[in-house]
Amino acid sequence: PRQSRRRKSVAIAYEPGQGEGAEPRRARWEPRDWREQLERIREMRRSRDAPVDEMGVQTCYDSSAPPQVRRYQVLLALMLSSQTKDQVTSAAMQRLRRHGLSVDSVLQMEDETLGHIIYPVGFWRNKVKYIKQTTAILKQKYGGDIPSTVEELVQLPGVGPKMAHLAMHIAWDSVAGIAVDTHVHRISNRLKWVKKETKTPEETRVALEEWLPRDLWKEINWLLVGFGQQTCLPVHPRCSQCLNQDICPAARR
């Protein structure tokens, strides 16, 4: 008997958001001119002569120390750096290192001695308390090392999100997110690198991570901090010296 020829039906697999009746996929939002702005900021930062380059946290630890000690020194430098100029943080770290900066040496140090060494960093009295509390936790819970996740780092007394992300970058060479300080926060809003104005550095971090390619997350803090120290100042920004003055929404032309 003659077999009837049936056309085989072919199943068509659609990607999510595609296919008949599906809504067209929306293009990811990104700021206008951001790539050109970023390239020009790189050009302005080429000389690497801002305070963050010469005295930033990445320069404050003893590179010859054992890895665990280096990571502890990175975290301490970050804790000292809050509300403090890089020059002051660097000097305080040099004084601490002359005392043999380690978990055990700090635990054995009197609070008054520690305060005398780190003065005049911003809020030095609070930082003495936080450093002692955090160091004790590191000794008891982490065997003298620092945590290797942002979630654990921000649980330590005196450690905020920016410090945690920088600790991941510098101490662990791991990129878990963007480190946003006042410079990154300010410049991101001036350049309109956020969909709408953000009120806090943490809001800015979330907004940037939504669109900025992940391979730029580590670089962006270093770039914008130095740019903010030298050109895009908090008060009286040097717009006339900025290569972005013709494409910056906040430029004073």
mmCIF file of all heavy atoms in Angstrom, residues 126-145:
data_model
loop_
_atom_site.group_PDB
_atom_site.id
_atom_site.type_symbol
_atom_site.label_atom_id
_atom_site.label_comp_id
_atom_site.label_asym_id
_atom_site.label_seq_id
_atom_site.Cartn_x
_atom_site.Cartn_y
_atom_site.Cartn_z
ATOM 1 N N ASN A 126 36.832 57.282 66.561
ATOM 2 C CA ASN A 126 35.951 56.196 66.141
ATOM 3 C C ASN A 126 36.736 55.093 65.446
ATOM 4 O O ASN A 126 36.452 53.901 65.607
ATOM 5 C CB ASN A 126 34.865 56.716 65.187
ATOM 6 C CG ASN A 126 33.779 57.488 65.908
ATOM 7 O OD1 ASN A 126 33.567 57.306 67.106
ATOM 8 N ND2 ASN A 126 33.093 58.355 65.192
ATOM 9 N N LYS A 127 37.732 55.504 64.667
ATOM 10 C CA LYS A 127 38.503 54.510 63.918
ATOM 11 C C LYS A 127 39.349 53.633 64.830
ATOM 12 O O LYS A 127 39.558 52.457 64.534
ATOM 13 C CB LYS A 127 39.353 55.206 62.856
ATOM 14 C CG LYS A 127 38.497 55.745 61.709
ATOM 15 C CD LYS A 127 39.288 56.497 60.669
ATOM 16 C CE LYS A 127 38.359 57.056 59.588
ATOM 17 N NZ LYS A 127 39.063 57.858 58.580
ATOM 18 N N VAL A 128 39.822 54.188 65.945
ATOM 19 C CA VAL A 128 40.531 53.361 66.932
ATOM 20 C C VAL A 128 39.608 52.239 67.404
ATOM 21 O O VAL A 128 39.987 51.061 67.443
ATOM 22 C CB VAL A 128 41.006 54.207 68.130
ATOM 23 C CG1 VAL A 128 41.453 53.303 69.284
ATOM 24 C CG2 VAL A 128 42.143 55.130 67.722
ATOM 25 N N LYS A 129 38.374 52.605 67.727
ATOM 26 C CA LYS A 129 37.399 51.617 68.207
ATOM 27 C C LYS A 129 37.093 50.577 67.132
ATOM 28 O O LYS A 129 37.108 49.372 67.390
ATOM 29 C CB LYS A 129 36.117 52.346 68.623
ATOM 30 C CG LYS A 129 35.009 51.439 69.113
ATOM 31 C CD LYS A 129 33.801 52.249 69.567
ATOM 32 C CE LYS A 129 33.155 52.971 68.385
ATOM 33 N NZ LYS A 129 31.913 53.692 68.784
ATOM 34 N N TYR A 130 36.833 51.045 65.897
ATOM 35 C CA TYR A 130 36.490 50.119 64.811
ATOM 36 C C TYR A 130 37.655 49.199 64.467
ATOM 37 O O TYR A 130 37.461 48.003 64.205
ATOM 38 C CB TYR A 130 36.064 50.897 63.559
ATOM 39 C CG TYR A 130 34.775 51.654 63.698
ATOM 40 C CD1 TYR A 130 34.591 52.878 63.049
ATOM 41 C CD2 TYR A 130 33.721 51.160 64.472
ATOM 42 C CE1 TYR A 130 33.404 53.592 63.166
ATOM 43 C CE2 TYR A 130 32.530 51.867 64.588
ATOM 44 C CZ TYR A 130 32.379 53.078 63.941
ATOM 45 O OH TYR A 130 31.213 53.773 64.060
ATOM 46 N N ILE A 131 38.866 49.755 64.438
ATOM 47 C CA ILE A 131 40.039 48.946 64.103
ATOM 48 C C ILE A 131 40.243 47.837 65.127
ATOM 49 O O ILE A 131 40.498 46.683 64.784
ATOM 50 C CB ILE A 131 41.303 49.829 63.989
ATOM 51 C CG1 ILE A 131 41.252 50.660 62.696
ATOM 52 C CG2 ILE A 131 42.572 48.982 64.036
ATOM 53 C CD1 ILE A 131 42.337 51.718 62.615
ATOM 54 N N LYS A 132 40.106 48.181 66.404
ATOM 55 C CA LYS A 132 40.272 47.181 67.454
ATOM 56 C C LYS A 132 39.192 46.098 67.367
ATOM 57 O O LYS A 132 39.476 44.907 67.468
ATOM 58 C CB LYS A 132 40.246 47.859 68.831
ATOM 59 C CG LYS A 132 41.557 48.500 69.245
ATOM 60 C CD LYS A 132 42.665 47.467 69.243
ATOM 61 C CE LYS A 132 43.929 47.904 69.941
ATOM 62 N NZ LYS A 132 43.850 47.888 71.386
ATOM 63 N N GLN A 133 37.949 46.509 67.152
ATOM 64 C CA GLN A 133 36.846 45.547 67.069
ATOM 65 C C GLN A 133 37.010 44.634 65.854
ATOM 66 O O GLN A 133 36.876 43.412 65.957
ATOM 67 C CB GLN A 133 35.508 46.282 66.992
ATOM 68 C CG GLN A 133 35.110 46.981 68.278
ATOM 69 C CD GLN A 133 33.845 47.823 68.106
ATOM 70 O OE1 GLN A 133 33.407 48.098 66.989
ATOM 71 N NE2 GLN A 133 33.267 48.251 69.217
ATOM 72 N N THR A 134 37.300 45.241 64.706
ATOM 73 C CA THR A 134 37.459 44.458 63.484
ATOM 74 C C THR A 134 38.644 43.515 63.582
ATOM 75 O O THR A 134 38.561 42.343 63.169
ATOM 76 C CB THR A 134 37.613 45.402 62.278
ATOM 77 O OG1 THR A 134 36.334 45.959 61.961
ATOM 78 C CG2 THR A 134 38.137 44.673 61.048
ATOM 79 N N THR A 135 39.749 43.980 64.127
ATOM 80 C CA THR A 135 40.946 43.136 64.244
ATOM 81 C C THR A 135 40.681 41.934 65.143
ATOM 82 O O THR A 135 41.128 40.814 64.850
ATOM 83 C CB THR A 135 42.137 43.965 64.772
ATOM 84 O OG1 THR A 135 42.342 45.095 63.923
ATOM 85 C CG2 THR A 135 43.404 43.134 64.807
ATOM 86 N N ALA A 136 39.950 42.145 66.212
ATOM 87 C CA ALA A 136 39.604 41.033 67.104
ATOM 88 C C ALA A 136 38.741 40.004 66.376
ATOM 89 O O ALA A 136 38.933 38.786 66.526
ATOM 90 C CB ALA A 136 38.874 41.557 68.345
ATOM 91 N N ILE A 137 37.799 40.470 65.555
ATOM 92 C CA ILE A 137 36.941 39.561 64.780
ATOM 93 C C ILE A 137 37.781 38.776 63.775
ATOM 94 O O ILE A 137 37.588 37.561 63.591
ATOM 95 C CB ILE A 137 35.830 40.348 64.059
ATOM 96 C CG1 ILE A 137 34.843 40.921 65.083
ATOM 97 C CG2 ILE A 137 35.092 39.467 63.051
ATOM 98 C CD1 ILE A 137 33.856 41.920 64.498
ATOM 99 N N LEU A 138 38.702 39.455 63.114
ATOM 100 C CA LEU A 138 39.562 38.778 62.140
ATOM 101 C C LEU A 138 40.387 37.680 62.814
ATOM 102 O O LEU A 138 40.573 36.594 62.244
ATOM 103 C CB LEU A 138 40.488 39.783 61.450
ATOM 104 C CG LEU A 138 39.813 40.896 60.635
ATOM 105 C CD1 LEU A 138 40.875 41.801 60.007
ATOM 106 C CD2 LEU A 138 38.905 40.328 59.563
ATOM 107 N N LYS A 139 40.867 37.949 64.002
ATOM 108 C CA LYS A 139 41.667 36.968 64.739
ATOM 109 C C LYS A 139 40.813 35.763 65.133
ATOM 110 O O LYS A 139 41.215 34.605 64.941
ATOM 111 C CB LYS A 139 42.247 37.630 65.989
ATOM 112 C CG LYS A 139 43.046 36.709 66.893
ATOM 113 C CD LYS A 139 44.409 36.408 66.337
ATOM 114 C CE LYS A 139 45.262 35.685 67.368
ATOM 115 N NZ LYS A 139 46.601 35.337 66.825
ATOM 116 N N GLN A 140 39.619 36.036 65.651
ATOM 117 C CA GLN A 140 38.774 34.970 66.190
ATOM 118 C C GLN A 140 38.065 34.167 65.098
ATOM 119 O O GLN A 140 37.947 32.941 65.180
ATOM 120 C CB GLN A 140 37.730 35.566 67.139
ATOM 121 C CG GLN A 140 38.328 36.211 68.377
ATOM 122 C CD GLN A 140 37.373 37.182 69.062
ATOM 123 O OE1 GLN A 140 36.184 37.250 68.726
ATOM 124 N NE2 GLN A 140 37.879 37.929 70.037
ATOM 125 N N LYS A 141 37.571 34.876 64.056
ATOM 126 C CA LYS A 141 36.693 34.231 63.074
ATOM 127 C C LYS A 141 37.402 33.830 61.778
ATOM 128 O O LYS A 141 36.993 32.879 61.113
ATOM 129 C CB LYS A 141 35.524 35.164 62.757
ATOM 130 C CG LYS A 141 34.419 34.532 61.935
ATOM 131 C CD LYS A 141 33.232 35.474 61.800
ATOM 132 C CE LYS A 141 32.124 34.848 60.960
ATOM 133 N NZ LYS A 141 30.954 35.764 60.819
ATOM 134 N N TYR A 142 38.455 34.562 61.419
ATOM 135 C CA TYR A 142 39.091 34.333 60.119
ATOM 136 C C TYR A 142 40.563 33.945 60.231
ATOM 137 O O TYR A 142 41.292 34.020 59.230
ATOM 138 C CB TYR A 142 38.943 35.576 59.245
ATOM 139 C CG TYR A 142 37.503 35.911 58.936
ATOM 140 C CD1 TYR A 142 36.823 36.881 59.669
ATOM 141 C CD2 TYR A 142 36.804 35.249 57.923
ATOM 142 C CE1 TYR A 142 35.490 37.195 59.404
ATOM 143 C CE2 TYR A 142 35.483 35.547 57.645
ATOM 144 C CZ TYR A 142 34.826 36.518 58.389
ATOM 145 O OH TYR A 142 33.512 36.821 58.126
ATOM 146 N N GLY A 143 40.994 33.587 61.425
ATOM 147 C CA GLY A 143 42.378 33.150 61.588
ATOM 148 C C GLY A 143 43.397 34.225 61.296
ATOM 149 O O GLY A 143 44.529 33.934 60.908
ATOM 150 N N GLY A 144 42.998 35.490 61.455
ATOM 151 C CA GLY A 144 43.906 36.607 61.222
ATOM 152 C C GLY A 144 43.893 37.138 59.800
ATOM 153 O O GLY A 144 44.543 38.138 59.503
ATOM 154 N N ASP A 145 43.140 36.495 58.915
ATOM 155 C CA ASP A 145 42.998 36.976 57.540
ATOM 156 C C ASP A 145 41.757 37.860 57.446
ATOM 157 O O ASP A 145 41.038 38.045 58.432
ATOM 158 C CB ASP A 145 42.883 35.800 56.574
ATOM 159 C CG ASP A 145 43.429 36.106 55.185
ATOM 160 O OD1 ASP A 145 43.526 37.299 54.829
ATOM 161 O OD2 ASP A 145 43.755 35.149 54.455
#
